[in-house]
Amino acid sequence: MGGYEYNGKCPHLKDGQCSVYEARPFVCRIYGASELFKCDDCVPERFLSEEETVEIVHQYTLLKKQEESKENGGN
């Protein structure tokens, strides 16, 4: 999302709303839903465990690699 350096404030927040919501990065999609990415104002039904989070990140990484390979002419 632009290759910016994180300084504690998301540059995509405009008037308290995510301006890139439909294309938000993966970490934003799981932020507040995991024991590893808790937020003070988030109250999910339950937090994803560390193990669940690691597995989701692993699966996401595999899918991204497959996608990049297809874009580069691989299988």
Side-chain angles (χ1 to χ4, degrees):
M1 296 304 310
Y4 60 90
E5 184 175 321
Y6 181 71
N7 64 2
K9 296 181 182 177
C10 179
H12 300 294
L13 283 178
K14 307 294 183 217
D15 298 322
Q17 299 287 318
C18 178
S19 64
V20 295
Y21 187 80
E22 293 300 321
R24 68 195 182 279
F26 175 72
V27 71
C28 297
R29 293 175 185 267
I30 64 171
Y31 183 75
S34 167
E35 290 176 352
L36 298 177
F37 302 109
K38 287 185 177 180
C39 93
D40 293 337
D41 299 326
C42 301
V43 186
E45 257 184 53
R46 75 173 185 85
F47 285 104
L48 295 170
S49 69
E50 181 176 344
E51 293 81 18
E52 290 170 312
T53 304
V54 168
E55 180 60 24
I56 288 170
V57 170
H58 175 72
Q59 292 299 320
Y60 175 79
T61 302
L62 290 176
L63 289 171
K64 289 300 287 182
K65 286 181 181 179
Q66 289 174 354
E67 185 179 284
E68 289 169 3
S69 177
K70 287 181 182 180
E71 289 173 359
N72 293 324
N75 292 327

